[in-house]
Amino acid sequence: MATAADMSGRDAGSGDGATAGTELLDCDLVMRGGLTSGLVYPGTLAVLATRYRFRCIGGASAGAIAAGVAAAAEVGRRGPNAPFPTVFSNLVARLADDLGGMVDGETRLKTLFHPAEPVRALFEIGWAKLDGEEIEGRLLSLVGRLARPTLSRAGLLAIAIGLAGALFGGLGAAAMAAAGAGPFAIAVALMLLGAASLVAALLPFWTARRRILADLSPPFRAMAENGFGLCPGVNPAVDPQSTDAMARHGGFADWMHATIQRAAGRSVTDRPVTVADLWGTRDPWAPDRAVDLLLTTTNLTQQLPHQFPFLERSSSFLYFTPQALAGVLPARVIAHLVETRNPEFDIVADGVTYHRLPRAPDLPVLLGVRLSMSFPFLISAVKLFECPAWEPKAPDAAQPRPSPCWFSDGGITSNFPVASFDSPLPARPTFCINLADLPPGEPAEAERVRMASSNTDGIRAPLRSDLADGSFATFLGAIVDAARNGRENEQMTLPSQRDRIVTVLLDPRSEGGLHLNMDEEALKRLAGYGRAAGLKLIQRFHPEGGGDREAPAMTWANHRWGRIRTSFAGLEALALRVAAGWARADAEGRTVADMFAAADQKGTSYPFGSAAALRRASQAAGRIAEEAARLRDAATPRPDTSVFDGERRGPTRRGREDGAPRPTLRFQLGPVGLDPRRS
């Protein structure tokens, strides 16, 4: 269990290299999204940086912010300018404390969110709800202010009809008092007419309903025009030339820009930190990039995930306009995009000039962070444009008009991309920082930082949704979460995955999530959880970490051996499918070997470029099939036994008698991006 000393971070060392002479090892890092829950990460980064150098960093949403800052800090740490060699301990570690500081009577975290003026009323109502205030009065006030003329006219007409109804009803009551046969019939008629008039008093509102809705639509229409969000990210009142002003008074995009620039040892007026700065080269094919950054964003228009920095997909070009990015990114970052784009790709359509996004090395890190951090409805989505094909045209020729593509939160499609940097046979650890709610019924003082305590711990997926209350909102939330996180939740149960994941549990009533108004004390608690998570990872996986006293068997060697077992078992299963498919003939009697052996490839898709290339591929494919067949024959009897996955039958209730890890890993086909190193 993490101690108070662990939570304070006093055992983590005072600099970015904890002890004199300690060599920094390499590690990869993946961080889950979670809006303000991401304030756990500065403490984790600062502690891990005392023992590790971050080589591959990934995340989505709030995890993307932490990933961008960590990547920029690695640029600063290897840079020549003091005090940036200690950037993690001097800048990153203080981020949560800085956001908890007060600015004009509010926490800095709260002031990061500057609504666009046309939607300020909606923002204030939403903020009041987050503060726990009663908002019915505010809503009625907004409705009255927007629809006053229409409501006034309908109300006057309704009053007139209602008074007439009251008059008829009164006359009916007077006639009823006369008690004669004639007056009785008249009384009934008058009272029915009065009742009908009172009902008719509602008709003016029903007739004016479309007009009332039209009166109420401007803020919602403005919200759609504002990227379907309340806050675009830039505070237009802040001085764009001052790093301190952007960090203290800017919107969240201003703050992210200032923080990333500071981490790399630059000001906001300097060239933005780019992907090439992280790589240490401009060559995407370079064999050893210094830092790889992989951020997830969601293309809502095409309903696809994209990964920064290789945002474009096959046969799809992405464009931008400075006008569409104004307010979403600081002006200096937009200017950099314009300066580094290739003007040969510019498209002019209907008087608008569209610029193709620069190549991956020139993309600013802030662009990737902002694309991934677009929390729906609160934070505006980013409008880019897609063109399916491009070719240079004469100036007077008609050019295609790129189609708008809205990019929103990376967490919509993958909130915890645990497999981002997976290697079948890793030489360095990939740490995954998971954020989750404290389970119902557990006290606030319960242990908040947890990892698998044994090789079998974590096979059973936790209960993530409590549907016992019968709430439709909870049910719908569970549907959404299962749709976007199902694949990641499944991967988290795999051996050699679950033991490298540290989970930080936050109290959903007061910590993280949409709690944009957390006080300084709450922010300090989150930073403490983050430091404890970093220390636990160091204890388990670093050779000088001392080991985890609560789970001494859970080490880097144990993790790596588990990955070896699962990877080779998965490869064996894949090889068996290859061996079966190689020898199987189709309806025309041809096997895969026959198709490779055919010198004439006419009538087939994707032919090899030359006879020599075909011959080389045919020979290599034959050798692969032969080895697959040998592997198939190495374990008998089939299918009861395998070489790497042990006995396939006879498992005990709590495990496998042969020690094989469970559940078994599966390799399957999937599309890859345009990153040449990952393709």
Side-chain angles (χ1 to χ4, degrees):
M1 180 175 292
T3 65
D6 294 335
M7 300 287 272
S8 70
R10 288 195 295 269
D11 296 339
S14 58
D16 291 358
T19 307
T22 299
E23 180 183 359
L24 293 177
L25 303 181
D26 290 341
C27 78
D28 301 335
L29 187 64
V30 178
M31 291 169 281
R32 179 186 280 277
L35 204 56
T36 64
S37 303
L39 290 169
V40 164
Y41 296 135
T44 307
L45 294 172
V47 170
L48 287 177
T50 64
R51 294 291 190 273
Y52 288 98
R53 182 186 300 106
F54 303 117
R55 296 297 305 276
C56 295
I57 315 171
S61 192
I65 298 178
V69 171
E74 284 293 359
V75 174
R77 179 154 67 167
R78 69 172 186 258
N81 301 325
F84 292 104
T86 56
V87 61
F88 282 98
S89 55
N90 286 347
L91 187 148
V92 175
R94 295 204 306 262
L95 287 180
D97 292 337
D98 291 344
L99 289 175
M102 303 302 291
V103 177
D104 300 329
E106 297 180 321
T107 63
R108 178 69 188 105
L109 175 63
K110 185 174 182 179
T111 64
L112 288 177
F113 296 90
H114 291 266
E117 198 56 41
V119 296
R120 180 173 294 277
L122 292 177
F123 176 81
E124 290 175 351
I125 290 174
W127 198 272
K129 181 65 176 177
L130 291 176
D131 279 336
E133 299 179 16
E134 296 293 333
I135 62 172
E136 289 77 5
R138 289 176 179 253
L139 285 172
L140 289 175
S141 175
L142 177 64
V143 170
R145 186 168 70 250
L146 294 174
R148 184 179 297 116
T150 304
L151 288 172
S152 298
R153 288 192 296 270
L156 288 174
L157 185 57
I159 290 172
I161 297 174
L163 289 175
L167 177 61
F168 289 134
L171 291 174
M176 183 71 72
F184 180 79
I186 295 173
V188 171
L190 288 173
M191 293 183 72
L192 289 175
L193 184 60
S197 298
L198 291 175
V199 173
L202 300 176
L203 288 178
F205 294 102
W206 175 255
T207 304
R209 69 189 186 283
R210 297 185 185 276
R211 181 59 188 168
I212 293 172
L213 291 175
D215 291 337
L216 297 177
S217 67
F220 296 98
R221 187 165 57 246
M223 186 173 172
E225 294 170 353
N226 196 47
F228 306 96
L230 297 171
C231 304
V234 171
N235 179 7
V238 77
D239 181 4
Q241 305 295 315
S242 170
T243 304
D244 185 64
M246 294 187 79
R248 286 184 54 79
H249 302 287
F252 59 85
D254 300 316
W255 175 82
M256 288 190 296
H257 180 46
T259 302
I260 288 171
Q261 292 295 101
R262 276 178 164 171
R266 303 178 185 179
S267 74
V268 294
T269 58
D270 292 333
R271 179 176 59 81
V273 179
T274 65
V275 172
D277 294 324
L278 309 185
W279 290 353
T281 177
R282 292 186 53 79
D283 181 10
W285 289 91
D288 194 21
R289 302 171 185 166
V291 177
D292 249 330
L293 182 66
L294 188 66
L295 306 178
T296 303
T297 181
T298 303
N299 183 337
L300 291 177
T301 306
Q302 295 182 322
Q303 299 181 13
L304 289 170
H306 288 241
Q307 291 185 322
F308 178 88
F310 294 92
L311 285 165
E312 292 183 332
R313 304 177 74 92
S314 297
S315 301
S316 181
F317 299 90
L318 288 178
Y319 284 76
F320 73 96
T321 66
Q323 298 87 343
L325 296 181
V328 171
L329 293 171
R332 180 66 185 90
V333 178
I334 298 173
H336 171 83
L337 289 171
V338 175
E339 293 163 4
T340 55
R341 102 285 188 194
N342 185 344
E344 292 183 3
F345 285 88
D346 285 355
I347 291 177
V348 180
D350 299 331
V352 178
T353 300
Y354 300 86
H355 308 298
R356 187 180 174 188
L357 282 179
R359 296 175 61 246
D362 292 316
L363 291 177
V365 169
L366 181 64
L367 173 65
V369 174
R370 182 62 184 82
L371 285 170
S372 186
M373 182 63 183
S374 299
F375 193 84
F377 305 118
L378 174 63
I379 298 176
S380 302
V382 180
K383 188 179 184 180
L384 297 179
F385 301 85
E386 188 264 349
C387 194
W390 180 91
E391 60 182 17
K393 296 180 180 293
D396 57 346
Q399 290 183 306
R401 182 188 181 95
S403 302
C405 278
W406 289 98
F407 284 80
S408 190
D409 201 272
I412 295 173
T413 48
S414 181
N415 205 34
F416 192 32
V418 292
S420 294
F421 310 116
D422 272 356
S423 169
L425 305 173
R428 62 176 182 249
T430 297
F431 300 134
C432 293
I433 319 298
N434 184 35
L435 304 173
D437 288 343
L438 187 69
E442 289 205 31
E445 60 272 15
E447 169 61 14
R448 299 299 193 90
V449 179
R450 304 179 186 180
M451 293 185 73
S453 59
S454 68
N455 286 325
T456 58
D457 191 12
I459 292 178
R460 177 184 177 272
L463 302 177
R464 293 184 168 88
S465 299
D466 184 7
L467 302 178
D469 60 358
S471 165
F472 276 96
T474 304
F475 182 72
L476 291 175
I479 291 174
V480 172
D481 287 341
R484 68 192 183 102
N485 296 322
R487 176 60 178 155
E488 286 76 12
N489 291 341
E490 185 178 51
Q491 285 183 296
M492 289 169 64
T493 66
L494 287 174
S496 73
Q497 291 272 14
R498 51 185 183 253
D499 58 324
R500 65 184 172 110
I501 299 173
V502 57
T503 297
V504 178
L505 299 173
L506 302 177
D507 189 340
R509 297 166 296 183
S510 60
E511 298 172 338
L514 279 171
H515 293 288
L516 304 175
N517 51 355
M518 284 186 292
D519 58 23
E520 187 174 1
E521 189 61 35
L523 293 174
K524 286 182 177 179
R525 287 200 305 273
L526 265 62
Y529 303 152
R531 288 191 290 270
L535 284 169
K536 185 170 280 291
L537 290 170
I538 288 174
Q539 290 169 354
R540 286 200 177 189
F541 290 99
H542 195 279
E544 299 177 7
D548 188 339
R549 294 186 297 272
E550 298 174 13
M554 306 303 288
T555 62
W556 163 241
N558 176 76
H559 168 79
R560 196 180 187 201
W561 179 244
R563 178 58 59 89
I564 291 170
R565 287 294 309 267
T566 56
S567 293
F568 276 107
L571 287 172
E572 179 182 2
L574 178 62
L576 295 181
R577 297 201 299 271
V578 169
W582 181 265
R584 188 180 298 124
D586 62 12
E588 298 179 4
R590 294 174 304 175
T591 64
V592 176
D594 295 334
M595 298 187 73
F596 265 110
D600 183 7
Q601 290 189 297
K602 290 182 179 179
T604 61
S605 302
Y606 314 119
F608 285 93
S610 67
L614 172 61
R615 183 167 55 254
R616 185 167 57 248
S618 179
Q619 293 171 352
R623 288 195 296 271
I624 291 173
E626 290 174 5
E627 292 301 323
R630 291 194 183 96
L631 187 59
R632 177 195 61 205
D633 298 336
T636 55
R638 287 284 185 184
D640 299 348
T641 310
S642 72
V643 175
F644 296 109
D645 198 32
E647 296 290 334
R648 294 182 179 274
R649 293 181 179 176
T652 64
R653 276 191 71 182
R654 296 185 56 81
R656 290 276 300 262
E657 292 176 344
D658 54 21
R662 276 290 181 260
T664 303
L665 181 69
R666 175 184 63 193
F667 289 103
Q668 61 185 24
L669 296 176
V672 295
L674 299 181
D675 185 346
R677 291 287 308 282
R678 298 188 184 280
S679 297

